[in-house]
């Protein structure tokens, strides 16, 4: 008799009610029950629920319209979030807008608008971008929101209470565009080639700086050198890619200067006032960084359940130009209040055009709304994930999008589903129901065994790339399986009349399994197209999770739940119009 059977009948044998039989303090007239019996019926306390996967994008300045760089950032974050959901974990994605600072104030003045009205108008462009890009964000934060203002001022008071803030005169080179001070060692004289004007600029970003001297508040950043270096050593994958991790370690190793964290209100009035001193406005980057914990319920976390809303963030997606703020200043601010830093930063590279940095002044900024309208949302998500750079910048070109579409989507995935599901010499449902993942027919050769192995290994290969925060490499693994399946199908030619029914079934089954597995894994990248693909091959909605992406795990599909159409009608990826 096994333990399950004993557990079922023991209440009757012992003549005790079931609700008592499962108590951890079982007693009888002669005392405590034997240890073996108590262990059998003891109820383990429930394990605490898993922390939600928390992922963030930067919050975007509202001084200008969104561009393709913003689209890339939010798509990367959304893919990573959807991947976690695919794996069965609750996930939270936070995005939003950064509405304070001199840059926004100046842009509003230029438009002849009151600053709040200017922000209310421009924030809609970023909300629309997330909706247009099919981004599944759970939060959208504005730094002008009342709950954020409260969180920032509370954070300031806690820093001050712990002695990390002091007032002092500050002199240095300030960039309005970057909203930060630069030391003399990080600025140089440069020339504007279009006008011939000479000006001082940041060596890091190329933006113009101006000499500023003022009294303001400072944060004792210099005290956090050792703690930051210790954190980096304990978390060697804190920043992806590793080259930027090494840059940060080197910069911190050379020493840190205390950081100016306020501006005189007479110079910057559009922001959050310093508590108890309205002559000063809180530094825009301190204000902005706190947004990530505002939506994680700071400072109202329930004791013992501080991570219930997601913090610490599992991944913060940022551009490479703001690594310093997120990898040095942000962890230091958090450490000062004994709050956990984010677990990882994914710092991606930029998009260029003709190898030149995109800039409004040059006229080479890509409008993401136009791009989505022309190519479709899933095509743009696919292209950005596939070609977008993490380590190195990527060049954007409409011709590249058309090329990736024709090769990967129309000629690869779309062609495969049409060949399998529209084939007239076989029945996919019958092939699925009559095939197994057991021994393959010997005459199908090593290629069939190799293809089965490819499909068995694909989910974990993709998962490993995702774990490494390399969604582009994971996508390449998935698309490689698509290409290999087209090759496999061509090699074995299931349409040949003398192929034999059993062999034909096995060929079609492996091809259908390729579509099913790849379709499941492509859902985070192309939610709509991948969903339609799975409809076309008849995969039930409840059989589309990561655990279902296992060879042979679904024998119930094969009958389309949508019309497949004929000719060009109903194809997954129709022809695209070129320039």
């Amino acid at each position: 008799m096994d333990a399950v059977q004993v557990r079922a009948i023991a209440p009757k044998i012992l003549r005790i009610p079931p609700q008592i039989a499962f108590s951890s303090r079982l007693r009888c007239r002669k005392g405590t029950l034997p240890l073996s019996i108590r262990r059998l019926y003891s109820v383990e306390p429930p394990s605490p629920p898993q922390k939600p996967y928390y992922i963030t994008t930067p919050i975007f300045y509202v001084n200008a319209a969104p561009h393709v760089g913003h689209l890339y950032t939010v798509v990367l974050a959304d893919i990573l979030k959807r991947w976690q959901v695919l794996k069965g974990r609750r996930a939270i994605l936070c995005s939003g807008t950064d509405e304070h600072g001199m840059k926004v104030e100046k842009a509003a003045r230029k438009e002849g608008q009151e600053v709040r009205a200017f922000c209310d108008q421009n924030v809609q462009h970023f909300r629309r971008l997330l909706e247009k890009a099919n981004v599944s964000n759970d939060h959208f934060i504005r730094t002008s929101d009342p709950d954020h203002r409260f969180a920032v001022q509370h954070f300031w008071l806690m820093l001050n209470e712990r002695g990390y803030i002091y007032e002092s005169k500050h002199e240095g080179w300030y960039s309005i565009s970057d909203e930060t001070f630069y030391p003399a060692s990080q600025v140089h004289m440069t020339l504007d080639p279009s006008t011939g004007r000479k000006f001082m600029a940041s060596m890091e970003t190329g933006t113009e700086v101006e000499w500023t001297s003022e009294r303001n508040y400072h944060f004792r950043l210099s005290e956090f050198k050792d703690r930051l270096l210790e954190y980096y050593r304990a978390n060697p994958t804190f920043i992806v890619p590793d080259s930027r991790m090494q840059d940060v370690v080197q910069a911190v190793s050379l020493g840190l200067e205390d950081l100016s964290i306020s501006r005189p209100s007479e110079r910057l009035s559009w922001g959050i006032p310093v508590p108890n001193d309205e002559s000063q406005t809180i530094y825009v980057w301190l204000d902005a960084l706190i947004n990530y914990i505002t939506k994680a319920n700071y400072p109202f976390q329930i004791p013992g359940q501080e991570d219930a809303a997601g913090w610490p963030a599992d991944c913060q997606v940022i551009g490479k130009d703001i690594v310093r703020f997120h990898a040095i200043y942000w962890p230091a601010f958090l450490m000062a209040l004994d709050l956990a830093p984010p677990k990882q930063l994914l710092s991606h590279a930029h998009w260029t055009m003709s190898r030149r940095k995109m800039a409004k002044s040059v006229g080479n900024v890509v409008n993401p709304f136009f791009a989505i309208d022309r190519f479709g949302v899933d095509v743009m998500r696919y292209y950005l994930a596939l070609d977008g750079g993490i380590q190195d910048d990527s060049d954007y070109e409409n011709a590249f999008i058309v090329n990736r579409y024709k090769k990967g989507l129309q000629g690869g995935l779309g062609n495969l589903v049409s060949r399998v599901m529209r084939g007239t010499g076989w029945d996919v449902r019958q092939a699925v129901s009559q095939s197994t993942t057991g021994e393959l027919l010997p005459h199908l050769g090593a290629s069939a065994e190799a293809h089965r192995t490819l499909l068995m290994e694909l989910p974990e290969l993709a998962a490993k790339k995702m774990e490494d925060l390399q969604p582009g490499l994971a996508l390449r693994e998935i698309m490689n399986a698509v290409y290999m399946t087209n090759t496999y199908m061509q090699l074995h030619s299931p349409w040949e009349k003398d192929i034999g029914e059993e062999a034909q079934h096995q060929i079609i089954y492996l091809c259908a399994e390729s579509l099913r597995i790849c379709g499941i894994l492509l859902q985070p990248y192309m939610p709509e197209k991948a969903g339609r693909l799975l409809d076309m091959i008849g995969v039930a909605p409840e059989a589309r999770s990561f655990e279902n992406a296992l060879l042979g795990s679904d024998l119930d599909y094969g009958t389309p739940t949508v019309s497949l159409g004929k000719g060009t009608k109903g194809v997954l990826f129709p022809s695209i119009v070129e320039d």
Side-chain angles (χ1 to χ4, degrees):
M1 184 179 295
D2 61 23
V4 174
Q5 292 171 311
V6 171
R7 189 180 179 92
I9 67 171
K12 299 176 183 178
I13 296 174
L14 299 173
R15 299 181 183 278
I16 53 179
Q19 65 267 27
I20 299 177
F22 291 93
S23 168
S24 59
R25 296 186 180 87
L26 296 178
R27 301 188 65 85
C28 63
R29 292 178 182 175
K30 294 184 179 181
T32 304
L33 292 173
L35 180 61
S36 59
I37 298 294
R38 283 186 284 126
R39 282 177 176 169
L40 181 61
Y41 299 112
S42 65
V43 178
E44 294 293 331
S47 57
Q50 185 182 26
K51 181 188 87 68
Y53 185 89
Y54 190 55
I55 184 167
T56 68
T57 74
I59 50 175
F60 305 114
Y61 284 121
V62 293
N63 64 302
H67 53 69
V68 75
H70 296 115
L71 178 60
Y72 179 48
T73 302
V74 298
V75 165
L76 275 182
D78 188 55
I79 289 169
L80 291 168
K81 182 228 170 159
R82 287 177 183 268
W83 182 264
Q84 293 297 321
V85 174
L86 184 72
K87 296 195 76 175
R89 184 175 179 183
R90 182 178 169 230
I92 299 170
L93 170 55
C94 184
S95 190
T97 48
D98 189 352
E99 301 180 13
H100 292 147
M102 296 180 71
K103 182 193 296 191
V104 174
E105 197 171 37
K106 187 177 178 181
R109 254 195 329 263
K110 185 178 178 181
E111 294 294 319
Q113 288 186 269
E114 188 271 328
V115 189
R116 179 73 201 203
F118 176 80
C119 292
D120 289 344
Q121 171 186 295
N122 283 12
V123 71
Q124 300 308 321
H125 301 312
F126 290 91
R127 288 188 184 276
R128 192 161 66 91
L129 179 68
L130 295 176
E131 182 180 352
K132 191 89 171 175
N134 198 8
V135 172
S136 58
N137 59 297
D138 302 270
H139 300 303
F140 187 96
I141 188 169
R142 301 176 62 181
T143 53
S144 57
D145 288 339
D147 62 338
H148 179 68
R149 177 187 175 116
F150 183 89
V152 170
Q153 291 189 319
H154 180 85
F155 197 98
W156 178 284
L157 289 169
M158 294 301 99
L159 288 177
N160 190 50
E161 185 178 291
R162 294 186 176 210
Y164 289 114
I165 294 177
Y166 66 93
E167 190 177 8
S168 176
K169 182 178 180 180
H170 188 87
E171 293 185 328
W173 294 99
Y174 191 80
S175 166
I176 294 177
S177 178
D178 300 336
E179 295 284 12
T180 190
F181 279 100
Y182 288 102
S185 60
Q186 293 182 20
V187 300
H188 64 165
M189 182 71 72
T190 189
L191 179 74
D192 184 340
S194 61
T195 64
R197 185 175 74 91
K198 293 183 178 180
F199 61 93
M200 296 298 290
S202 160
M203 296 168 65
E204 181 181 350
T205 64
T207 58
E208 185 169 357
V209 296
E210 58 184 30
W211 182 258
T212 302
S213 178
E214 59 194 30
R215 286 198 73 82
N216 50 32
Y217 290 98
H218 290 70
F219 172 71
R220 300 184 190 277
L221 182 64
S222 57
E223 295 186 11
F224 290 86
K225 172 186 172 182
D226 292 339
R227 286 184 67 180
L228 285 169
L229 291 174
E230 181 182 346
Y231 186 75
Y232 302 152
R233 280 192 294 270
N235 300 275
T237 61
F238 173 55
I239 306 170
V240 175
D242 182 65
S243 59
R244 292 190 195 111
M245 180 75 187
Q246 300 311 315
D247 290 343
V248 167
V249 170
Q250 182 179 17
V252 174
S253 297
L254 294 174
L256 297 170
E257 296 181 358
D258 288 350
L259 182 67
S260 169
I261 55 170
S262 72
R263 303 296 308 278
S265 299
E266 62 190 27
R267 291 190 175 181
L268 174 62
S269 59
W270 179 240
I272 298 176
V274 167
N276 306 318
D277 185 358
E278 295 205 351
S279 71
Q280 293 279 319
T281 302
I282 294 175
Y283 174 47
V284 66
W285 269 104
L286 175 56
D287 168 0
L289 288 165
I290 292 170
N291 95 86
Y292 302 126
I293 56 174
T294 298
K295 287 305 180 185
N297 293 343
Y298 179 84
F300 298 112
Q301 295 99 332
I302 300 171
Q305 299 180 36
E306 289 84 359
D307 64 358
W311 196 264
D314 295 88
C315 178
Q316 298 202 259
V317 181
I318 58 174
K320 66 178 184 179
D321 55 326
I322 53 175
V323 168
R324 175 163 50 101
F325 304 97
H326 286 79
I328 301 176
Y329 301 168
W330 182 220
F333 292 149
L334 293 166
M335 288 174 179
L337 299 189
D338 296 324
L339 298 173
K343 295 181 180 181
Q344 281 191 292
L345 303 176
L346 172 57
S347 63
H348 63 73
H350 291 163
W351 286 91
T352 60
M353 185 173 281
S354 301
R355 300 298 173 189
R356 296 181 67 187
K357 183 179 179 181
M358 289 188 185
K360 285 197 298 182
S361 58
V362 180
N364 64 349
V365 174
V366 176
N367 183 316
F369 300 103
F370 291 170
I372 291 172
D373 285 341
R374 177 176 178 186
F375 297 110
V377 60
D378 278 351
V379 174
M380 284 303 299
R381 288 172 64 105
Y382 172 84
Y383 168 68
L384 293 173
L386 189 70
D387 274 19
I390 301 297
Q391 174 70 49
D392 301 312
D393 292 347
S394 297
D395 214 35
Y396 182 99
E397 186 68 56
N398 285 343
F400 297 161
I401 303 174
V402 173
N403 176 270
R404 304 299 184 267
Y405 181 89
K406 286 186 171 182
K407 179 186 176 184
L409 300 181
Q410 185 182 29
L413 191 59
N415 180 48
L416 181 60
V417 70
S418 291
R419 295 173 85 187
V420 172
M421 297 306 298
R422 288 180 165 187
T424 56
W426 55 80
D427 183 293
V428 176
R429 175 70 201 117
Q430 190 177 20
V432 170
S433 64
Q434 294 187 13
S435 297
T436 70
T437 57
E439 292 298 321
L440 294 168
L441 295 177
H443 68 270
L444 290 180
S447 65
E449 188 63 48
H451 197 72
R452 187 176 67 167
T453 301
L454 171 73
L455 296 180
M456 291 175 66
E457 294 177 349
L458 177 61
E460 289 307 319
L461 276 174
K464 180 62 172 65
K465 300 298 183 187
M466 284 295 203
E467 186 181 322
D468 294 339
L469 300 183
Q470 295 287 351
L473 296 182
L475 180 56
R476 289 179 185 275
E477 294 284 0
I478 299 167
M479 292 310 297
N480 178 62
V482 171
Y483 302 140
M484 295 297 289
T485 305
N486 269 313
T487 300
Y488 169 78
M489 189 172 189
Q490 190 66 34
L491 176 66
H492 288 289
S493 306
W495 47 82
E496 295 291 345
K497 293 181 179 179
D498 59 350
I499 189 69
E501 185 179 67
E502 189 177 4
Q504 184 186 67
H505 281 166
Q506 286 200 356
I507 295 166
I508 294 302
Y509 174 66
L510 275 184
C511 292
E513 278 292 86
S514 297
L515 285 170
R516 186 182 67 83
I517 293 169
C518 290
I520 289 172
L521 299 179
L522 284 171
Q523 289 176 103
Y525 297 90
M526 301 186 290
E528 293 177 359
K529 290 292 187 180
R532 176 165 173 77
L533 165 62
L534 295 171
D535 288 341
M536 292 173 78
I537 64 175
V539 176
E542 64 273 15
R544 301 182 180 188
S545 67
F546 182 80
E547 66 180 10
N548 298 122
L550 178 67
L551 183 67
S553 66
D554 186 349
L555 294 178
D556 298 322
Y557 73 102
T559 302
T561 58
V562 294
S563 173
L564 300 180
K566 293 183 179 180
T568 59
K569 301 277 184 154
V571 296
L572 190 59
F573 295 101
S575 297
I576 197 168
V577 179
E578 299 184 50
D579 285 333

